[in-house]
Amino acid sequence: MNSTVLLDAIEHETAVDPRWCVLWLHGLGADGNDFAPIVPDLVRRDWPAIRFVFPHAPVRAVTINNGARMRAWYDIRDFDLANRADHEGVAESVAQVDALIAREATRGIPPERILLAGFSQGGAITLAAGLSRSPPLGGLVALSTYLPMGLDQARASLQPAAASQPMFMGHGVFDPVVPVAGGEAAARAFRDFGFDVQWRRYPMQHSVCAEEIRDLGDWMTARFAAG
């Protein structure tokens, strides 16, 4: 699989000549269509023009699903969070995300006006990509997810300017797929690395809810105002 080939994606522009980009990564077994419907609920009238990009992960075999092939950002080898992620697959997906970010620069949107968002497995890639970003992005959004590497590896991946990226993290307290403790551990690690992390818990399972979308919208409003 060639990580330099741009992933196919669904795109939605809220107005002509977008000044910002939100790059949103779906979860395991889904595709870019999964979060495209969130746009009308999330976008606010006073926001600048935004290009939403919802890429489709590559299709690969997933160990915990008996080797079935599906869209996945990396193989999931174990239900235990500490051993769940295939590190080679994580690195490959981070490179593919970096390629999409680079394309936005050619379309007039620099990294500092790009928000990288992800849910579950897509959120894990957001965290991994955020650690190694140089130059940094305008912000990171990681929902119902976990850090797909150990703390020592995460610290080794950290670029000097990466901690300047503000973060929004949300998680359901009843999540049976990614326990909320995994999200809390990731938020704590990023705070220890120097990131400004807004962490929110919600009374839900492995999903998103209206309250989370509202809080994310408030956080994004602050990012647009700062940029």
Side-chain angles (χ1 to χ4, degrees):
M1 197 178 298
N2 187 348
S3 63
T4 64
V5 175
L6 283 175
L7 297 174
D8 290 335
I10 295 168
E11 295 190 2
H12 176 82
E13 296 182 358
T14 62
V16 297
D17 192 24
R19 299 289 87 199
W20 284 77
C21 174
V22 177
L23 178 58
W24 199 303
L25 311 180
H26 62 77
L28 175 68
D31 62 19
N33 292 287
D34 198 31
F35 278 91
I38 205 172
V39 174
D41 295 325
L42 180 63
V43 172
R44 301 183 181 181
R45 289 187 176 183
D46 58 345
W47 282 4
I50 303 167
R51 175 183 297 120
F52 283 86
V53 179
F54 300 96
H56 306 302
V59 174
R60 68 181 83 223
V62 176
T63 299
I64 63 163
N65 287 341
N66 298 316
R69 295 181 62 81
M70 62 189 64
R71 293 198 180 275
W73 298 107
Y74 51 87
D75 184 22
I76 296 182
R77 304 172 305 193
D78 196 293
F79 288 102
D80 174 35
L81 290 185
N83 300 300
R84 184 173 290 195
D86 149 40
H87 294 156
E88 181 179 339
V90 170
E92 180 182 78
S93 287
V94 168
Q96 290 172 321
V97 168
D98 285 343
L100 290 171
I101 291 168
R103 179 181 65 170
E104 290 307 314
T106 70
R107 299 202 284 183
I109 302 179
E112 64 267 23
R113 292 207 301 271
I114 295 175
L115 304 180
L116 177 60
F119 175 81
S120 194
Q121 207 190 42
I125 295 302
T126 294
L127 294 179
L131 286 169
S132 59
R133 273 305 305 173
S134 182
L137 302 177
L140 306 171
V141 177
L143 308 178
S144 302
T145 194
Y146 62 99
L147 187 60
M149 61 189 75
L151 287 177
D152 289 343
Q153 184 182 350
R155 192 174 290 106
S157 300
L158 183 62
Q159 291 296 306
S164 66
Q165 300 168 114
M167 294 182 63
F168 179 92
M169 297 187 68
H171 213 113
V173 296
F174 308 119
D175 192 332
V177 177
V178 180
V180 67
E184 289 173 334
R188 186 165 56 250
F190 273 79
R191 282 175 175 152
D192 289 345
F193 295 152
F195 287 76
D196 177 10
V197 181
Q198 181 171 319
W199 163 257
R200 294 285 184 269
R201 295 159 56 107
Y202 301 95
M204 63 181 183
Q205 296 190 5
H206 195 61
S207 59
V208 296
C209 63
E211 184 184 0
E212 185 177 41
I213 293 172
R214 183 200 66 205
D215 291 344
L216 175 57
D218 291 344
W219 180 87
M220 290 173 66
T221 295
R223 305 285 75 74
F224 300 143

